[in-house]
Amino acid sequence: MDGYDLLVVGSANADLVIGVERRPTAGETVLGSDLAVHPGGKGANQAVAAARLGARTALLARVGDDGHGRLLLDSQRAAGVDTVGVLVGGAPTGVALITVDPSGDNSIVVSPGANGRLTPGDVRTAISLFHASRVVSTQLEIPLETVVEVVRNLAPGSRFVLNPSPPRPLPTEVLAACDPLIVNEHEAKVILGDACVSDAPEDWARLLLAKGPRSVVVTLGAQGSLVASPAGLTRVASVKVDAVDTTGAGDAFTAALAFRLGAGSALAEAAAYASRVGAVAVTRKGAQDSFPTAEEVESL
């Protein structure tokens, strides 16, 4: 590849998925379906989702020298992702334990494994990838100091997209680089902390903007999304579908939005496209297996 529409810096996990009639409460045991193992992790998911849409995509991540790591590398290459930045070794591949109920809602516990060994030094070593990329996207399933180093190594003129999941307070340096910061309701409330004094998404967006991001996207599930920038707020409608499995839908949304921004779309336009991509994804089981091609999105 001569250059990349999107560089994803982030996690790569094996998703261990069990279907349940209902998710257990504390101290309770429930029976589930047979175990299914899928390639996942927010970083790997975003890379595959973007590549399926036609984006020239690279992934900077770390996996273990094990069967799960080979599964993840194979899935990236099959989707057309450049894996030159995927490092191998240092710890077992990360694992996500996922339960999915009949409505498609899920609960996830992540063991970071090799993701926790993706270091600021790894970012500096991969500087050529940053200089070849229009947009850089990351999440918080890798160490926060590594995310800070990503921001410090952005090429002039590139765009930084962050989905702060799992959420935690963010340094000013990271917030100031986000264009956009993409959050759901839970993530918005964690980042805002005591400043979250309202139940209105419009207020969350304004408060988040005041923390320094250049733009903000608040995803609202079936209610669509809210796009915010210094120019104002815009509601973006959702696409009505029957959800089967929401696993990976947020990753598909983020990847699609980042790709379209790199192609020159305005933020609200990119969010509308991302909503269609996410809508297709939730109608199918699994994470990466559910991600649509550009042709499938256009036919929705």
Side-chain angles (χ1 to χ4, degrees):
M1 291 185 178
D2 296 327
Y4 304 101
D5 299 309
L6 178 63
L7 168 63
V8 181
V9 184
S11 59
N13 294 324
D15 286 349
L16 310 184
V17 184
I18 299 177
V20 293
E21 285 301 313
R22 58 181 176 81
R23 286 169 287 172
T25 59
E28 181 185 19
T29 299
V30 299
L31 293 177
S33 67
D34 290 343
L35 175 69
V37 181
H38 303 287
K42 292 184 179 298
N45 285 351
Q46 287 184 15
V48 168
R52 290 257 179 89
L53 294 170
R56 297 168 298 171
T57 308
L59 175 65
L60 174 57
R62 184 176 287 275
V63 298
D65 185 10
D66 51 34
H68 288 155
R70 289 185 285 277
L71 170 72
L72 286 156
L73 281 167
D74 288 346
S75 71
Q76 293 293 308
R77 291 164 179 159
V81 176
D82 192 334
T83 59
V84 66
V86 180
L87 307 167
V88 179
T93 300
V95 172
L97 307 177
I98 303 173
T99 57
V100 183
D101 70 20
S103 72
D105 285 334
N106 60 61
S107 295
I108 305 175
V109 178
V110 175
S111 171
N115 297 306
R117 275 72 166 184
L118 187 67
T119 67
D122 295 331
V123 170
R124 292 189 291 270
T125 300
I127 189 65
S128 61
L129 291 177
F130 288 85
H131 283 277
S133 303
R134 293 181 181 178
V135 180
V136 177
S137 175
T138 191
Q139 328 78 34
L140 298 182
E141 286 185 338
I142 57 175
L144 185 57
E145 59 265 29
T146 304
V147 175
V148 172
E149 194 65 25
V150 167
V151 168
R152 292 173 179 172
N153 284 271
L154 295 171
S158 67
R159 193 160 184 166
F160 178 63
V161 176
L162 174 65
N163 172 219
S165 180
R168 71 189 79 169
L170 294 170
T172 301
E173 180 179 6
V174 172
L175 284 168
C178 295
D179 193 13
L181 174 72
I182 303 176
V183 294
N184 61 22
E185 176 180 352
H186 172 65
E187 292 152 3
K189 289 180 175 179
V190 170
I191 293 170
L192 288 172
D194 292 340
C196 189
V197 294
S198 169
D199 288 326
E202 290 81 3
D203 290 334
W204 306 338
R206 293 187 187 97
L207 290 166
L208 286 167
L209 273 179
K211 284 183 168 288
R214 302 175 193 182
S215 60
V216 171
V217 175
V218 181
T219 59
L220 301 168
Q223 283 70 54
S225 60
L226 181 66
V227 170
S229 72
L233 275 64
T234 304
R235 278 272 190 173
V236 177
S238 65
V239 179
K240 305 302 181 185
V241 294
D242 293 325
V244 173
D245 183 359
T246 60
T247 306
D251 300 326
F253 180 96
T254 297
L257 187 144
F259 169 41
R260 295 311 304 166
L261 289 176
S265 295
L267 184 56
E269 180 185 358
Y273 179 79
S275 291
R276 296 198 296 275
V277 173
V280 176
V282 301
T283 64
R284 304 167 177 174
K285 290 186 176 181
Q288 293 180 19
D289 289 343
S290 74
F291 298 155
T293 63
E295 292 76 18
E296 289 171 326
V297 176
E298 290 304 319
S299 68
L300 181 65

